[in-house]
Amino acid sequence: MSKSDLFILFTALILCIIVFGPWAHGEAGGAFMFHAIWISILVLPALSILLDKIERKEVK
Amino acid sequence: MLQLTELSIVVLYMLFCVGVGMYYRKRAQENVKNYYSAGGSLGMVVSIVATFAAWSSGGTMIGGASTGYSLGLTFIWSAVFGAVIGYVISARMIAPQIRKYDQINTIVDYFKVRYPQSKFLWGASTVIIALAYALYIASQYKAGGMSVEYTLGIPYEWSLIIIAVVFILYVSMGGMWAVTMTDFIQGLLMLIMSPLLAIVILVYYGGPADLLNAALEVQPNWSQQMLPPVSTIGFMLIWLTMVLCAPHLIIRLFSTRDSNVARSTMIYTGLLFGIFAILTYFTVAAAGKIMFPPDQKLADADLLYFKVLDMHFPPILRGFALAAVLAAVMSTCSALLIACAAAIGNDLLPIIKPGASEKQKVNVGIWTTIIVGVFATIIALDPPKLLVVLFSEATGFMVAGLLFPFILGLWWKGFTGAGAITSLIIGSGGYGFIALLTNLKLVTLPVFSGYLIVLPVAGIAGIIVSLMTKSQAVTHVQSEAQ
């Protein structure tokens, strides 16, 4: 497992904690979770694609 | 009353699918590798769009929006988030590993190589896959039958039969070649029509912020969690783990040209699905909330997509949108059917009849496609409730059993056949048992929360049994996989 694999796994874990953490519940947290979740859905694969491209450049 | 424009588009589309099956018939039936994994030669763009189409079922297209409408947007987005995490993990930790194994076409093939002594595991996993996928296919049939019935006015039962006949024909004739090529076209159709509907809705309501505010005025708690957090997290975990080991996605990894293509396929499919789900679920569910507020709630929420289509699209676009829904249904069903056919023809047959020829394996696959297709049609004649809930429960049952034998098998050489069998029995058996108890109303648990209990228990039990039987750990597999 490479460093970037670990970085992505760690990021996914952090995003899960942000999205589903205790602060995501309740009235104010509802709006927070709503926005945190769609941003996370886009950020995680985009970050993975970016790291993949960097890795492949380094290999070349 | 049949709508001529929509009917013509749908008929042309179905004829096209059957034509593709006939075109690829000869090539697909040459050998097992061609029939079940398209010869392992697919390029990146075809593979990404086809995988996206196989994943984005009619259930997710229609059911995702209706679940967002009924149970809140964060609930369905949680599942999407889970799937996206699954794609990223699969790209980085599964695709490169699994592609090291040559000469395997399916997940059960992998079990045969990784756990060579555990025949029970091969047979039980085959049966679990076939059973779960028959239920999954039935939920997709409902989506297809409903869409044809609602839009064209053909009775639900007949709609179901027409759809079933079309895709049983092209899958059984053309195998994975036909499945992938039709999936590619179907994926493109979905990627054009759904964002188009989303854009029309956004323009109509004056942009995303205005659309959200209008929906929240109707129901202020709509953007919050409307179910207990354990249900949301359980739902998310089911989708996450499903991406990691669902046979109809794993089979895609074997059909790509090489490990780089397999890896890119998973990452880009995750991104594509994320964008698609955010756009479609938000716009359709929010528009639905405004059109049908809580005091005038739709009796069958799964009809929401069509009601929104009716309001925002003219007939010709409705015809294409309907074709896109059918595309979603057929692409997933065909992927599930080919996975079922592979489970029986490629995996189970050699256990029952050692030395079965390539021709026999392909023929059994063809007959499995027909039998499972008909069986699922019978289940779907009495349609279940919310689509997403049904197929998530069916896959939860399957994935709870397959996850650890697959993932730990790839990453830990000390995971033994006995550990894998324990994990399979506790995972699928436990999830099925909890589902039975809750359906019989003997226990009351929030929906999907059983998964949070069963999954860790299955993993821990598998690890403990593996440690107790570590003398059986297979070491030659690692060298074979290098």
Side-chain angles (χ1 to χ4, degrees), chain B residues 238-259:
Chain B
I238 288 181
W239 281 42
L240 191 163
T241 47
M242 181 178 163
V243 173
L244 296 183
C245 68
H248 73 289
L249 290 181
I250 297 298
I251 208 168
R252 300 275 162 184
L253 298 177
F254 301 124
S255 62
T256 51
R257 195 186 304 135
D258 56 43
S259 118

Side-chain angles (χ1 to χ4, degrees), chain A residues 1 4-5 8-9 16 20 25 27 30 33-34 37-38 40-41 44-45 48-49 51-53 55-56, chain B residues 73 77-78 81 84-85 88-89 92-93 212 223-225 229 236 260 263-264 267-268 271 274-275 278:
Chain A
M1 206 183 298
S4 60
D5 292 341
I8 283 291
L9 281 181
C16 278
F20 297 110
H25 310 302
E27 206 167 311
M33 183 180 179
F34 179 82
I37 200 164
W38 71 260
S40 301
I41 288 171
L44 192 64
S48 185
I49 288 170
L51 283 175
D52 204 42
K53 286 205 182 299
E55 272 177 350
R56 286 188 194 186
Chain B
L73 207 53
W77 274 358
S78 300
F81 182 42
V84 165
I85 296 175
V88 170
I89 295 176
R92 296 192 157 265
M93 299 179 65
L212 177 63
S223 68
Q224 297 165 23
Q225 288 203 58
M236 175 248 186
N260 279 339
R263 183 180 164 116
S264 299
I267 305 183
Y268 282 98
L271 183 62
I275 296 170
I278 288 173

Side-chain angles (χ1 to χ4, degrees), chain B residues 249-332:
Chain B
L249 290 181
I250 297 298
I251 208 168
R252 300 275 162 184
L253 298 177
F254 301 124
S255 62
T256 51
R257 195 186 304 135
D258 56 43
S259 118
N260 279 339
V261 174
R263 183 180 164 116
S264 299
T265 295
M266 297 316 268
I267 305 183
Y268 282 98
T269 303
L271 183 62
L272 207 56
F273 176 65
I275 296 170
F276 171 86
I278 288 173
L279 256 181
T280 311
Y281 297 172
F282 167 58
T283 51
V284 176
K289 217 53 199 167
I290 299 162
M291 288 165 66
F292 305 101
D295 54 337
Q296 299 162 34
K297 206 174 174 184
L298 274 174
D300 186 350
D302 284 331
L303 283 175
L304 178 73
Y305 193 83
F306 306 110
K307 299 278 184 191
V308 174
L309 273 184
D310 272 354
M311 181 170 170
H312 292 283
F313 269 2
I316 188 152
L317 284 181
R318 274 209 301 270
F320 279 108
L322 176 62
V325 173
L326 290 179
V329 170
M330 288 184 176
S331 55
T332 303

